[in-house]
Each structure stands twice: as C-alpha cells, then as structure tokens.
Amino acid sequence: MSGSSAASVAYLILAVFFSGFSLGVVAMVAVAVRREDRLYSLDGPAPGAVARGARFFTRFGGTGSHYRPRGWT
C-alpha cells in the first residue's frame, strides 16, 4: 500500500467517524427536544439523561441560569 493510499484511507475513516458522531449528537438533541416539548419541562430540571446531555451540548441552562428581560415576572 503506498503512502498516499494509506493517508486517503485514514482520512476516510476519520470523516466517517466524525460524521457519525455529529449525526448522533443531532439525533440525541432532536429526541430530547421532542420529549421536553411533550412534557413541558423546559422551566424545570431535565427529565432524563438524554435531555441533560442535550442541554449540555446546546448550553441551555435550567431554572434560574438564563437571562430574563427587564419587567419579566
């Protein structure tokens, strides 16, 4: 196997790995968002591990850690 062929195989493996990881994160966030919308749980703690992970990846804080505009009661 020549050097350029081995490098192209390595790049292909890395591309498949990172695209799979990205697709997994997007799917996890989609499932968690759907569940939180169904349970109306965005103003409280996350209902499960997937929702906690999605909140971590999207940097969405729970109760009291996000900005509230002036006059919001």
Side-chain angles (χ1 to χ4, degrees):
M1 188 181 284
S2 67
S4 65
S5 177
S8 63
V9 168
Y11 286 136
L12 178 67
I13 290 171
L14 282 173
V16 167
F17 174 76
F18 285 122
S19 62
F21 179 77
S22 300
L23 185 63
V25 168
V26 168
M28 184 183 79
V29 169
V31 167
V33 165
R34 184 178 173 114
R35 182 173 183 203
E36 293 223 35
D37 280 346
R38 189 177 61 239
L39 297 175
Y40 299 105
S41 64
L42 285 177
D43 61 346
V50 175
R52 273 194 309 276
R55 287 184 183 189
F56 174 78
F57 280 124
T58 59
R59 298 292 189 237
F60 178 79
T63 305
S65 64
H66 56 278
Y67 173 73
R68 288 194 166 195
R70 203 175 318 154
W72 183 275
T73 56

